[in-house]
């Protein structure tokens, strides 16, 4: 078998066999196939596409390129959640404790952030002492004992995906649905969960900017998951403005704690109820959405979800006094009000501009080697549909550097669109994709 023939076949619109896909993934992972040939194949895939069978085979070839985590020692149906990313997306910190408190085992591997804010691990490390460093046995023991653990992705989990993604990033072949779907699902499948709920974002702060592209990506990932024996469901949720109000690591932890106390932002809470309901159904802890939602609402109301968060943080070395007193979390030196420059209704908040503002403050990293400032970020005061007068505070910057704060303030003004007439608000949820097909709500 020759890589030249595989490239030619796909360039001409042919369908690659499982053996051909396995050959190229194995050879590239081991280093026997050079970057320039894989770049050529990726570009051919970008233009000619892959069918569902090819995409599933590519996914499993990447799964099989490295370690696979065996979670069979965990009792029950293990459920995981994956978000395609967004601005102010702190759902894992709320959702994990809620679902675990309702009885479903949540075994989650997360990474560090690359972009506007930190990843789930960075956010949790705002809590003094919190660590994701544990053996696989300790991870399994934590899930069996408290129903929840968050670990770091191992160095040898889907190494083919790591190499391919780095190459796609510099060859303009990132935004292909088959390549995106196989990249995401290979990591989720290798991580060992039995069931997966996907939160596929759409809008200005999302990877997929259009609703149609978001549904197409969701359908591709759901098909992959179910075709390889993992119960998979996707929710299409809005990311045309930040989720909740906080953008930045410690600030998002505070907002997550408020939500677990029952006093968080309504959009964050509602999304967690919707995602959590699907997690409970897939893990057989609820028979339908009504029962699942009632269970999740109850664990917020009776404090069990907040207690589960404390139990989880303590089990991973974190100082739970920071949960009882959120003022102990990292705090920035400067707090600066950003004020509206005109009167009217907020018609749009360009989410990726808010994300860039947070990055300018130091809340994110542009390369994986950079450190981030856990204390800085942005807390929005106004969301889409709100009325503002000139001079009203629309956001508060939490900063350590005045020059960085000025640059971030400029970005926030660019992000806020204020008009005379109240605009129609976008829905939070656009639909759901299951093994049975697509159900659109709007």
């Amino acid at each position: 078998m020759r890589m030249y023939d595989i490239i030619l076949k796909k360039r001409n619109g042919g369908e690659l066999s499982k053996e051909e896909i396995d050959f190229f993934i194995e050879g590239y992972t081991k280093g026997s196939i050079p970057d320039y040939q894989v770049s050529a194949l990726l570009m051919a895939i970008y233009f000619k596409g892959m069918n569902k069978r090819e995409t599933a085979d590519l996914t499993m070839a990447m799964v099989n390129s490295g370690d696979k985590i065996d979670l069979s020692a965990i009792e029950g149906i293990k459920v995981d959640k994956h978000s395609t990313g967004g601005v102010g997306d702190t759902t894992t910190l709320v959702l994990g404790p809620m679902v675990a408190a309702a009885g479903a085992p949540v075994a989650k591997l997360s990474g560090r952030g690359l972009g506007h804010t930190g990843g789930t691990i960075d956010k949790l490390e705002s809590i003094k002492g919190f660590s994701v460093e544990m053996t696989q046995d300790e991870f399994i023991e934590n899930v069996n004992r408290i129903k929840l653990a968050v670990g770091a992705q191992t160095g040898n989990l889907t190494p083919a995906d790591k190499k391919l993604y780095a190459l796609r990033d510099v060859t303009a072949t990132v935004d292909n649905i088959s390549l995106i779907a196989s990249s995401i699902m290979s990591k989720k499948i290798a991580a060992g969960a039995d069931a997966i709920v996907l939160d596929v974002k759409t809008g200005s702060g999302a990877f997929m900017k259009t609703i149609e592209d978001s549904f197409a990506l969701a359908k591709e990932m759901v098909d992959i998951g179910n075709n390889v024996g993992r119960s998979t469901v996707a929710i299409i949720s809005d990311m045309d403005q930040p989720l909740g109000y906080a953008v930045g690591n410690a600030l998002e932890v505070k907002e997550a704690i408020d939500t677990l106390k029952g006093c968080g932002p309504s959009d964050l809470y509602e999304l967690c109820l919707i995602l959590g309901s699907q997690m409970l159904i897939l893990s057989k802890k609820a028979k339908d959405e009504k029962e699942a939602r009632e269970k999740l609402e109850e664990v917020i109301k009776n404090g069990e979800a907040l207690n589960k968060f404390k139990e989880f943080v303590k089990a991973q070395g974190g100082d739970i006094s920071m949960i009882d007193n959120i003022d102990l979390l990292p705090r920035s030196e400067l707090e600066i009000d950003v004020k509206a420059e005109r009167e009217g209704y907020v018609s749009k908040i360009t989410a990726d501009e808010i994300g860039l503002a947070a990055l300018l403050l130091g809340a994110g990293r542009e390369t994986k080697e950079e450190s981030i400032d856990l204390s800085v970020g942005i807390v929005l005061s106004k969301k889409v549909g709100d009325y503002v007068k000139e001079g009203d505070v629309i956001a508060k910057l939490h900063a350590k550097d005045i020059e960085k704060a000025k640059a971030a303030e400029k970005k926030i003004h660019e992000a806020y669109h204020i008009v005379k007439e109240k605009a129609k608000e976008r829905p939070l949820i656009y639909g759901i994709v299951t093994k049975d097909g697509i159900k659109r709500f709007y």
Side-chain angles (χ1 to χ4, degrees):
M1 194 174 294
R2 294 191 309 161
M3 190 64 181
Y4 175 91
D5 298 321
I6 295 172
I7 296 167
L8 182 64
K9 184 177 184 181
K10 181 49 71 176
R11 189 202 72 181
N12 292 338
E15 179 181 334
L16 301 183
S17 68
K18 179 181 183 301
E19 291 73 24
E20 287 167 329
I21 291 169
D22 288 344
F23 173 81
F24 116 72
I25 288 294
E26 183 179 352
Y28 187 52
T29 305
K30 291 180 176 177
S32 59
I33 296 174
D35 279 352
Y36 62 83
Q37 285 192 308
V38 177
S39 297
L41 180 59
L42 289 172
M43 192 60 75
I45 291 169
Y46 182 88
F47 283 113
K48 296 298 183 179
M50 299 183 99
N51 63 26
K52 292 192 182 302
R53 197 271 309 154
E54 287 176 292
T55 306
D57 285 343
L58 175 61
T59 304
M60 291 311 297
M62 292 196 290
V63 170
N64 294 326
S65 71
D67 295 339
K68 295 187 286 292
I69 297 175
D70 181 6
L71 299 180
S72 59
I74 295 175
E75 301 158 11
I77 299 171
K78 286 76 68 181
V79 63
D80 193 3
K81 185 274 301 182
H82 175 80
S83 168
T84 57
V87 181
D89 185 7
T90 186
T91 49
T92 295
L93 276 66
V94 180
L95 195 56
M98 286 172 69
V99 172
V106 180
K108 184 161 182 58
L109 295 186
S110 293
R112 299 193 181 278
L114 187 61
H116 50 80
T117 58
T120 296
I121 290 174
D122 299 298
K123 293 169 190 178
L124 286 166
E125 286 179 350
S126 298
I127 301 170
K128 184 180 178 182
F130 186 92
S131 174
V132 291
E133 301 304 321
M134 64 187 111
T135 66
Q136 187 167 317
D137 287 345
E138 289 169 334
F139 181 86
I140 289 169
E141 196 275 331
N142 278 3
V143 180
N144 275 331
R145 182 166 55 86
I146 64 174
K147 301 291 187 189
L148 173 61
V150 174
Q153 293 171 355
T154 68
N156 201 40
L157 201 71
T158 61
D161 175 60
K162 291 183 178 69
K163 288 191 72 173
L164 276 182
Y165 192 89
L167 194 60
R168 288 165 57 208
D169 197 35
V170 296
T171 56
T173 52
V174 169
D175 52 341
N176 170 276
I177 283 176
S178 289
L179 296 176
I180 296 168
S182 59
S183 174
I184 291 170
M185 293 304 293
S186 65
K187 292 189 282 285
K188 290 288 109 181
I189 292 164
D194 302 311
I196 303 162
V197 174
L198 301 163
D199 179 11
V200 180
K201 304 293 189 183
T202 191
S204 65
F207 191 74
M208 309 306 281
K209 304 296 183 187
T210 71
I211 294 165
E212 290 308 314
D213 282 349
S214 299
F215 270 108
L217 175 60
K219 181 72 166 64
E220 196 81 10
M221 292 193 292
V222 167
D223 286 347
I224 291 169
N226 285 300
N227 284 342
V228 301
R230 308 296 170 96
S231 299
T232 307
V233 167
I235 298 291
I236 313 300
S237 71
D238 187 56
M239 188 43 73
D240 211 43
Q241 66 173 332
L243 184 65
Y245 290 89
V247 182
N249 301 286
L251 296 171
E252 291 183 42
V253 172
K254 291 177 184 179
E255 188 163 84
I257 293 167
D258 284 342
T259 306
L260 289 167
K261 288 178 178 176
C263 54
S266 59
D267 57 347
L268 174 59
Y269 180 51
E270 178 63 20
L271 181 58
C272 288
L273 288 174
I274 290 166
L275 295 171
S277 293
Q278 295 302 322
M279 292 171 78
L280 290 184
I281 292 167
L282 291 184
S283 62
K284 308 296 186 188
K285 295 298 179 182
K287 64 179 182 294
D288 55 28
E289 290 178 16
K290 181 176 182 294
E291 182 186 359
R293 190 181 180 96
E294 287 172 354
K295 285 187 172 187
L296 294 169
E297 288 174 336
E298 181 61 24
V299 296
I300 291 289
K301 194 180 300 181
N302 64 21
E304 288 180 13
L306 180 62
N307 287 335
K308 184 61 68 177
F309 184 60
K310 290 180 185 179
E311 197 177 358
F312 152 66
V313 167
K314 185 177 180 181
Q316 295 193 210
D319 181 357
I320 63 170
S321 68
M322 289 184 156
I323 301 170
D324 293 320
N325 181 5
I326 58 176
D327 290 335
L328 296 175
L329 287 163
R331 300 185 64 153
S332 63
E333 295 165 11
L334 302 172
E335 292 187 12
I336 301 167
D337 290 338
V338 180
K339 297 180 179 179
E341 296 176 325
R342 66 184 68 87
E343 183 176 357
Y345 292 93
V346 179
S347 65
K348 181 180 179 182
I349 305 173
T350 309
D352 47 8
E353 292 289 342
I354 297 293
L356 183 54
L359 180 64
L360 291 171
L361 291 170
R365 52 172 76 85
E366 295 189 72
T367 67
K368 289 186 177 179
E369 293 73 32
E370 287 182 345
S371 60
I372 59 176
D373 188 332
L374 297 171
S375 70
V376 302
I378 302 157
V379 178
L380 306 181
S381 304
K382 301 292 183 180
K383 298 285 289 280
V384 172
D386 290 341
Y387 181 77
V388 297
K389 295 179 181 178
E390 185 179 348
D392 281 356
V393 175
I394 55 174
K396 187 183 290 288
L397 300 180
H398 294 251
K400 283 191 175 176
D401 182 292
I402 192 66
E403 293 305 316
K404 290 180 179 179
K406 287 178 181 177
E409 183 175 3
K410 183 174 183 292
K411 282 291 173 191
I412 290 172
H413 282 302
E414 291 171 357
Y416 269 83
H417 298 254
I418 298 172
V419 298
K420 290 182 179 180
E421 300 295 326
K422 189 171 183 177
K424 183 180 178 182
E425 292 182 42
R426 287 166 62 106
L428 178 64
I429 305 296
Y430 284 90
I432 183 171
V433 181
T434 68
K435 66 181 188 317
D436 299 321
I438 295 172
K439 183 177 180 182
R440 295 174 186 259
F441 302 152
Y442 292 91

